[in-house]
Every structure is written in structure tokens, then in C-alpha cells.
Amino acid sequence: MTKVYTGSVFEIRELTDQQRAEVRDELTWLETDLIRRRKRLAYWTMRKGQAETIPGLSEELRQSAFYFHARAEELVNSGERLRANLIAELQDQPEHLPAYHHAH
């Protein structure tokens, strides 16, 4: 019978207690920063919608709204990727693994 690996696809290193605390602190900071980033994205989404619908708006304002909306989207996406990696790093530590990960 073959053993199927059901662990994480990320390269996860084993962390010490101090490193885990640092990762938890970074995750806490990142989650509060993601709230700020999402609010900024909502604002630029509104401005982009206005730029698409308001007639007579200067082309410079229109282009800047599109640029800042794309930049805000990029910041939210990068924060979400980092958050996913930090959560995977914390959850894939040995004491957090479910029983089926260990060979019996």
C-alpha cells in the first residue's frame, strides 16, 4: 500500500515558540492593515465608477482613478496572499496537524 502525502503544498518550516509568537503578531498586524486596504479599495472602486459614469470629467482624473483603483486591488491581493501563507505556516506546525497526517 502506498502512502499518500496529504500535507501542505507550501514549503513550511518548523517554528520555535518565539517564531510562532512573531508570526502571530505579524498576522494580527496584517489583518488590521487589510481592513484599511479594503476600505481604500472600496473608496477607489467608488471613484472608478464615478470616472466611468460622469460625463465631462477630465481625462487626467479619469486615468488617475483607474490607476489608483488597480494599485489598491494589487495591495489587497498581496496582503491576502501573505495572510494565507502566514496562516498555513501556523497551521502546518506539528502539534496542529490532524491525526490522518501521521502514519499509523
Side-chain angles (χ1 to χ4, degrees), residues 69-93:
H69 176 266
R71 183 74 178 121
E73 257 184 349
E74 184 181 312
L75 285 173
V76 168
N77 291 339
S78 68
E80 290 290 346
R81 281 192 305 272
L82 179 59
R83 181 177 174 269
N85 285 334
L86 290 175
I87 288 174
E89 193 169 28
L90 283 176
Q91 287 180 342
D92 283 352
Q93 294 302 308

Side-chain angles (χ1 to χ4, degrees), residues 11-46:
E11 186 176 330
I12 304 295
R13 67 189 195 283
E14 194 167 333
L15 301 174
T16 64
D17 290 337
Q18 180 185 4
Q19 289 172 326
R20 286 185 196 152
E22 290 171 0
V23 169
R24 282 188 203 103
D25 291 342
E26 185 176 358
L27 186 60
T28 303
W29 174 85
L30 182 62
E31 287 177 345
T32 56
D33 192 53
L34 274 171
I35 292 169
R36 182 187 61 81
R37 291 180 187 191
R38 288 185 192 114
K39 286 179 182 178
R40 183 169 288 174
L41 177 61
Y43 171 77
W44 284 111
T45 301
M46 177 198 65

Side-chain angles (χ1 to χ4, degrees), residues 47 50-63 65:
R47 297 296 291 191
Q50 289 174 344
E52 291 172 338
T53 57
I54 295 177
L57 196 62
S58 73
E59 189 60 30
E60 183 181 337
L61 285 176
R62 188 180 313 276
Q63 291 301 319

